[in-house]
Amino acid sequence: MLLKGLCSSVVNYGIRRGAHYSTATGRESDKQFPLEGIRILDLTRIVAGPYCTMVLGDLGAEVYKIERPFEGDESRKWGPPFMRNSKDSVYFMAANRNKKSVCVNLKTGREVIYELAKKCDVLVENYVPGKLDSLGLGYDTLKSIAPSLVYCSITGFGSEGPYRTKPGYDVIAASMGGLLHITGSENGPPAKVGIAITDIATGLYAHGAILAALLQRHRTGRGQKIDVNLFSTQVACLINVASNYLNAGKEAKRWGTAHESIVPYEAFATKTGYITLGCGSDAQFVSLCRLLGVAELALDDRFANNQTRVVHRKELIAILSDILQRKSSSEWMEIFESASFPVGPINSMKEVFEDRHLRAIGMVKTLPHPTAGEVKLVGPPVVYGEAKNEITSIPPQLGQHTDEVLRSLLGYGDTEMERLRKAKIIQ
């Protein structure tokens, strides 16, 4: 389905669909969004689902974020901090750009959802299995209404198996899927990763699955149901740790910042903080020893190759730690400026966003906000040579686009809008 007027003036605050926040000329200005014309019916909340639909929105899809009237996505309330002069949390800003907020009560407004589903290419939801079926919004129902609809369910444990009805949050999937078992210092307790990495990985798996389903639909003309879940995603992300257990019977353990199979490959304390470095080859280790002023260390039989370095890990790390503590992180980064091995400081958030490379590539975008004045967002990390992938609108206010979408997309007039409001079906 092609969207009419996709590049016409869209919402508010002077933001237009297709607007480019950098100065583009020539070939750059001719780029199109890969998903321009694709409509997404977004029934997701919290992180995994909204992250998935945000990525699709960055690629140009028109995303209709369906929210509970007067309540909205739970993550709007996940603060402090909150946006200035707003009830919306800063947390909500992280995964909801490039969307339109449409408030519909799913319990009483399923007819509205049916009409939207007929107009959309993809539906994404992250309710516990069975919940939307009980509301008449499950896949079997919508398949009969919109046969070409790609219906993606993001859940904690999937639609089959003994855990299928269990609610799932990132930390639970990370716990049960083994991530917490392998995260933390070597002799310390399990540790949670600093962000909801299982949610993010699930959202990315879902986004890729949706694109594949759209490609298949192009060939078959049919939609389909996609099941993506946090638990399976987390197990899939165990990669070599899972392979070690399955094929060598090797139980995993926590290594802190170190690597089980590569030495050195970890964080080291300096005079002023920490740096992380890794030597994935013997040649890189020789280079490290030379830059540290201990070239002879690479000739030691204990450290001659990675296999012997793994065996003599403790001796080598003790030697390297002693040397690296003698200078500041900035001094070491100057010494390692042209190093052949990967190395970098462990940055605070302040240091991350003041990093000269990050600033040079322009990943952080500053956009106008109706109550806070402005909002800063981290843009998409992927750059296309022949297409756009960018922020075109800020995360929406609750119900901001209800009237616009229902009037323009479904053709509802004043009488119908008033009826829906009196019935408390829409906000």
Side-chain angles (χ1 to χ4, degrees):
M1 306 175 187
L2 291 178
L3 279 174
K4 294 181 179 179
L6 189 64
C7 293
S8 62
S9 198
V10 177
V11 212
N12 308 297
Y13 326 127
I15 297 172
R16 292 165 58 89
R17 166 63 66 179
H20 198 77
Y21 281 97
S22 61
T23 302
T25 58
R27 187 177 179 184
E28 184 71 20
S29 63
D30 294 333
K31 291 181 179 180
Q32 299 296 312
F33 287 96
L35 296 185
E36 190 160 336
I38 295 295
R39 292 171 176 157
I40 311 291
L41 188 55
D42 180 3
L43 274 61
T44 69
R45 310 95 62 219
I46 315 299
V47 179
Y51 194 86
C52 167
T53 55
M54 181 183 73
V55 174
L56 297 171
D58 290 347
L59 292 170
E62 187 90 347
V63 180
Y64 306 123
K65 183 177 178 67
I66 307 301
E67 300 192 70
R68 289 181 298 169
F70 308 104
E71 295 291 333
D73 186 326
E74 294 95 313
S75 68
R76 286 184 183 271
K77 301 178 179 66
W78 284 8
F82 291 91
M83 294 298 293
R84 186 157 50 93
N85 301 320
S86 172
K87 293 181 179 180
D88 286 339
S89 69
V90 169
Y91 197 113
F92 179 79
M93 297 293 114
N96 287 286
R97 61 173 178 257
N98 292 345
K99 302 178 184 182
K100 294 183 176 182
S101 175
V102 180
C103 284
V104 180
N105 187 325
L106 297 185
K107 294 181 179 179
T108 58
R110 64 184 179 187
E111 295 298 331
V112 177
I113 301 300
Y114 291 164
E115 293 303 310
L116 288 170
K118 293 176 185 177
K119 299 286 187 178
C120 289
D121 302 279
V122 179
L123 182 150
V124 189
E125 59 90 7
N126 62 348
Y127 287 83
V128 172
K131 177 63 176 178
L132 289 186
D133 293 283
S134 70
L135 298 176
L137 296 172
Y139 175 65
D140 288 339
T141 300
L142 289 184
K143 179 183 179 181
S144 65
I145 294 170
S148 64
L149 188 70
V150 172
Y151 188 112
C152 180
S153 291
I154 300 174
T155 59
F157 297 90
S159 60
E160 297 180 355
Y163 300 156
R164 64 186 179 278
T165 59
K166 288 173 63 70
Y169 268 36
D170 171 272
V171 71
I172 305 304
S175 298
M176 297 179 68
L179 182 59
L180 266 65
H181 177 69
I182 59 174
T183 304
S185 59
E186 186 174 0
N187 298 310
K192 177 181 174 294
V193 178
I195 59 168
I197 195 65
T198 308
D199 273 339
I200 299 306
T202 303
L204 291 174
Y205 263 111
H207 129 266
I210 288 167
L211 296 182
L214 287 173
L215 181 61
Q216 184 171 346
R217 188 186 71 172
H218 180 70
R219 296 194 295 262
T220 67
R222 298 189 304 275
Q224 63 180 292
K225 186 170 189 281
I226 300 169
D227 276 304
V228 187
N229 71 83
L230 300 177
F231 181 67
S232 296
T233 294
Q234 179 52 68
V235 174
C237 287
L238 291 174
I239 54 169
N240 61 297
V241 174
S243 187
N244 285 349
Y245 175 76
L246 293 173
N247 298 292
K250 187 178 174 75
E251 180 58 79
K253 57 172 284 188
R254 289 182 283 283
W255 287 96
T257 62
H259 195 289
E260 181 176 11
S261 306
I262 306 172
V263 178
Y265 191 109
E266 61 184 85
F268 292 89
T270 67
K271 251 186 184 179
T272 56
Y274 293 86
I275 62 172
T276 304
L277 60 83
C279 294
S281 70
D282 295 337
Q284 288 182 342
F285 181 66
V286 170
S287 176
L288 170 65
C289 293
R290 178 177 57 80
L291 291 173
L292 291 177
V294 287
E296 68 280 1
L297 200 61
L299 302 176
D300 191 312
D301 288 342
R302 295 173 299 170
F303 314 131
N305 57 59
N306 185 70
Q307 186 173 349
T308 59
R309 289 194 294 274
V310 169
V311 173
H312 298 282
R313 177 193 301 266
K314 289 184 178 179
E315 301 101 297
L316 178 58
I317 297 306
I319 294 169
L320 297 180
S321 296
D322 178 63
I323 296 170
L324 290 163
Q325 287 180 27
R326 298 171 190 173
K327 297 182 186 295
S328 68
S329 295
S330 59
E331 287 175 312
W332 282 122
M333 290 312 298
E334 284 185 24
I335 292 171
F336 296 148
E337 179 67 28
S338 60
S340 62
F341 52 87
V343 58
I346 294 183
N347 287 333
S348 65
M349 290 303 102
K350 181 175 185 295
E351 291 165 331
V352 168
F353 292 106
E354 289 181 351
D355 184 275
R356 60 192 175 98
H357 183 83
L358 193 72
R359 288 186 169 184
I361 62 177
M363 251 192 110
V364 177
K365 311 296 182 184
T366 302
L367 283 69
H369 187 278
T371 64
E374 65 179 33
V375 58
K376 294 183 178 181
L377 302 172
V378 177
V382 179
V383 178
Y384 289 77
E386 298 290 336
K388 290 182 180 181
N389 181 30
E390 60 194 43
I391 301 173
T392 57
S393 63
I394 64 172
Q397 294 178 293
L398 181 61
Q400 179 183 334
H401 306 96
T402 303
D403 279 42
E404 174 201 331
V405 171
L406 298 190
R407 288 177 185 274
S408 64
L409 192 62
L410 302 186
Y412 289 178
D414 291 344
T415 302
E416 181 65 8
M417 295 296 289
E418 182 63 21
R419 182 188 72 80
L420 292 173
R421 282 205 166 85
K422 281 186 177 179
K424 296 184 179 180
I425 292 172
I426 67 172
Q427 179 177 326

